[in-house]
Amino acid sequence: MVESAETDWVSRFADEVISEAERRAPGKPIVCASGLSPSGPIHLGNLREVMTPHLVADEIRRRGLDCVHVLSWDDYDRFRRVPAGIDPSWSEHIGKPLTAVPAPPGSVHANWAEHFKAPLDEALKELGVECRGISQTEQYTSGAYREQILRAMRERAAIDDVLSRYRSKQVEDYFPYKPYCHLCGRDLTTVTAYDDETTELAYTCECGFGETVRLAEHDHGKLVWKVDWPMRWAHEGVVFEPSGVDHHSPGSAWIVGGQIVGEVFGGRQPIGPMYAFVGITGMAKMSSSKGDVPTPADALEIMEAPVLRWLYARRKPQQSFKIAFDQEIQRLYDEWDALGRKVATGQAQPAELAAYKRAVGTAAGPLPATAHPVPYRTLASVLDITTGHAGQTLRILRDLDAVASLDDARPRLDKAQTWVDDHMPADQRTRVRGTPDYDLLDSLDPGARESLRLLADGLDDWTIEGLTTLVYGVPKVQAGLPADAKATQELKAAQRAFFALLYKLLVGRETGPRLPTLLMAVGADRVRKLIGA
């Protein structure tokens, strides 16, 4: 077995999965799996269902072994409810397969399931996630599971026995197969009889329709979830598949499936870590049924793919974490950039280095990266005060961080622009005053007026370095000190008061972006006008 020298959670799972695969099916491709229901937006909590096996499968591929990551789309599940914001008339489709429900109004996609699958497919490509999608609609309607269905029906008593261990009252005439009604297309059906020899199955529907079909030829129904999942484990030969905390309570699909897979289908339960929820800063637990949840596509609008990958790679599956859409994203990027510097100088710890490598590339190669990664908080500040003006932005970034071209700062620049446009709190936006605050200017004492005159006189060195020296130096000069004098507590207080005055005159509040950057964006003539010089 090829082992990794890394010490992170991904490597440890890869070691375990490789050993288990050698015991179960030596010489065959190793199968890792994910499963998602496209019943609504695929949110960032759902993404953990994909990223966890992706990272493990990718580590296995890095070791030169054949590994496939299958993504089962549960698009043959029933449409359960109409999400908020959708025409209530869609309730007529409740009970139909998701692929038989029309897409939301205005969608370009063929059906409800495809509408919600498409954005995730695009996001996974950007994230470098290589997986093979499996449509459960195609599997069931093509007859791919016919033998497994017939087997489950033959073994229904054994399945019922497992299920009965976790329920309080007995169920008469248990059947693990649920047909979709031939007339109304919904699953409001009840199986009334089944013959093992002929495979004739009779059912009735709440719509009033009923019929008898030969299950050996019937491809318009599916196994119930607690039987369907273990059936797929056996059918696909899955060795690794994680699941959320909600699947690990007594009687849940994971617990029950672990018993059914061997007793009924002759397979084995995968190695399956339980993963914790992913939250969003400032938001409650995510729910696709409510419709308005941040998706991977939303996150990739404001952060680069490696950063989003890093969030999932650096935390063990059982550790919860949050993804920032608020100002915390600036701190997150500070952490990311600091890690990059540690890696570059050989100071990163082994687990840190492993998570970084998994973030910036896959077994197939590196992900696209920003050539000149200016700090995110700097980009946000510059883009805010320049309102995205390309010329001003480049002028400031060139002086601030030697950026030769805006293209060199992309895609990070574009991500920061989207964050400023869509997520920056309104009370933090910088709005430069259109006219001077004459009332404030008239109320200033001689010392304050003198500080503004000193600033105006020094606005000749129009560089970030020059302006930084100027704004910090004005209070020093007023105190009779040289510009490079060490700041005392008294001097720091004078600087804070001076900065507050400038912010009030320039943007109408006592705080704002870094003053040198703000001054450069506003321009010397406008600054002089607003400070009454």
Side-chain angles (χ1 to χ4, degrees), residues 15 131 175 181 255 327 329 384 393:
D15 291 340
C131 56
F175 298 101
C181 177
I255 301 300
Q327 287 181 301
I329 193 172
D384 174 38
T393 298

Side-chain angles (χ1 to χ4, degrees), residues 13 52 240-244 248 254 271-275 317-318:
F13 271 123
T52 303
F240 181 84
E241 181 172 5
S243 56
H248 287 258
W254 177 265
I271 295 169
M274 177 182 70
Y275 59 83
Q318 66 269 30

Side-chain angles (χ1 to χ4, degrees), residues 147-165:
E147 289 304 315
Q148 287 77 13
I149 291 170
L150 294 175
R151 186 171 185 173
M153 289 294 277
R154 287 195 304 270
E155 300 294 332
R156 60 188 179 276
I159 295 172
D160 187 41
D161 181 60
V162 172
L163 297 176
S164 66
R165 301 167 196 169

Side-chain angles (χ1 to χ4, degrees), residues 122-129 300 303-309 333 336 356-362 364-373 407-412 415:
E122 288 303 310
L124 293 181
K125 290 177 185 176
E126 186 171 347
L127 286 165
V129 175
L300 289 169
M303 67 178 71
E304 296 156 275
V307 178
L308 186 56
R309 287 176 61 90
Y333 258 90
W336 170 251
Y356 183 83
K357 288 180 177 178
R358 300 189 197 292
V360 300
T362 69
L367 270 68
T370 299
H372 195 135
D407 285 341
D408 291 343
R410 291 188 168 101
R412 184 180 293 195
K415 309 296 185 182

